[in-house]
Amino acid sequence: EVQLVESGGGLVQPGRSLRLSCAASGFSFEDYAMHWVRQAPGKGLEWVSGISWNSGDIGYADSVKGRFTISRDNAKNSLYLQMNSLRDEDMAFYYCAKESTGALTMIRGLEYWGQGTLVTVSS
Amino acid sequence: QSALTQPASMSGSPGQSITISCTGTSSDFGNYNLVSWYQQHPGKAPKLMIYEGSKRPSGVSNRFSGSKSGNTASLTISGLQAEDEADYYCCSYVGSRTFVFGGGTKLTVL
């Protein structure tokens, strides 16, 4: 069974940093592209960042470019999101999601999602 | 990266069909057919309903169908059921290794 479990969320002051993790199991993590998608409470989905199977292709939303860094450790079956210079508008549930291929295309959509971890930005 | 445009809300009666639109620009998905659709119930993670514009993942009801014409993608739900009441989001690759979601449509089954 595919499982994606996010962790690392919590309360953080504006301007500070936080690192999210996503632990993957039930599939060959190293073969698939992965994404972070966020959702502010009561708002819609926003794509944040994606990474191909071998980290060769990486993309970011304009809203986080230069502040957030996505990475993965295939040996540890883990996906990460380093978030620096956090702003009020970064407050959201952060989901990790799995593609069906290794390339960063979403050609078959995001077939599996975690349950999310909440990041609260407040002084 | 502007969000794709969806109607904020729609409603329909059980048994009816509804079509949710998702409009972008030619630079958004005019050259691609990489549109996917997601259903999200309150407090739950999104669920993939349609990918590559019109294909259904295994296990998704054939009451859900997708299409695309020019700069508009559409999700049609036929034979509306109470359990279809949820938020629906489109998503597309928009080039340069970036993706964008629509603003979401809240579907109410009357």
Side-chain angles (χ1 to χ4, degrees), chain A residues 31-123:
Chain A
D31 289 337
Y32 297 97
M34 299 291 295
H35 295 258
W36 288 101
V37 176
R38 69 184 180 184
Q39 185 172 35
K43 302 297 184 181
L45 300 175
E46 181 187 12
W47 177 79
V48 174
S49 182
I51 186 168
S52 63
W53 68 280
N54 64 351
S55 304
D57 276 337
I58 287 176
Y60 297 98
D62 287 346
S63 58
V64 306
K65 197 174 296 182
R67 300 187 299 122
F68 289 13
T69 301
I70 191 172
S71 62
R72 62 190 296 160
D73 186 333
N74 287 343
K76 295 183 177 180
N77 292 338
S78 293
L79 176 72
Y80 305 102
L81 186 68
Q82 177 67 42
M83 304 186 295
N84 298 332
S85 303
L86 282 161
R87 304 168 179 168
D88 291 350
E89 56 264 35
D90 296 319
M91 184 163 67
F93 285 94
Y94 284 74
Y95 296 98
C96 73
K98 171 189 175 293
E99 282 211 41
S100 298
T101 72
L104 196 64
T105 64
M106 256 197 243
I107 188 168
R108 295 180 185 172
L110 298 176
E111 59 170 352
Y112 290 100
W113 297 65
Q115 287 304 305
T117 186
L118 179 61
V119 172
T120 302
V121 183
S122 175
S123 53

Side-chain angles (χ1 to χ4, degrees), chain B residues 12-18 63 77-82 84 109-110:
Chain B
S13 299
Q16 287 186 329
S17 294
I18 63 101
R63 296 186 300 104
I77 310 173
S78 59
L80 268 178
Q81 299 179 1
D84 299 333
V109 180
L110 302 171

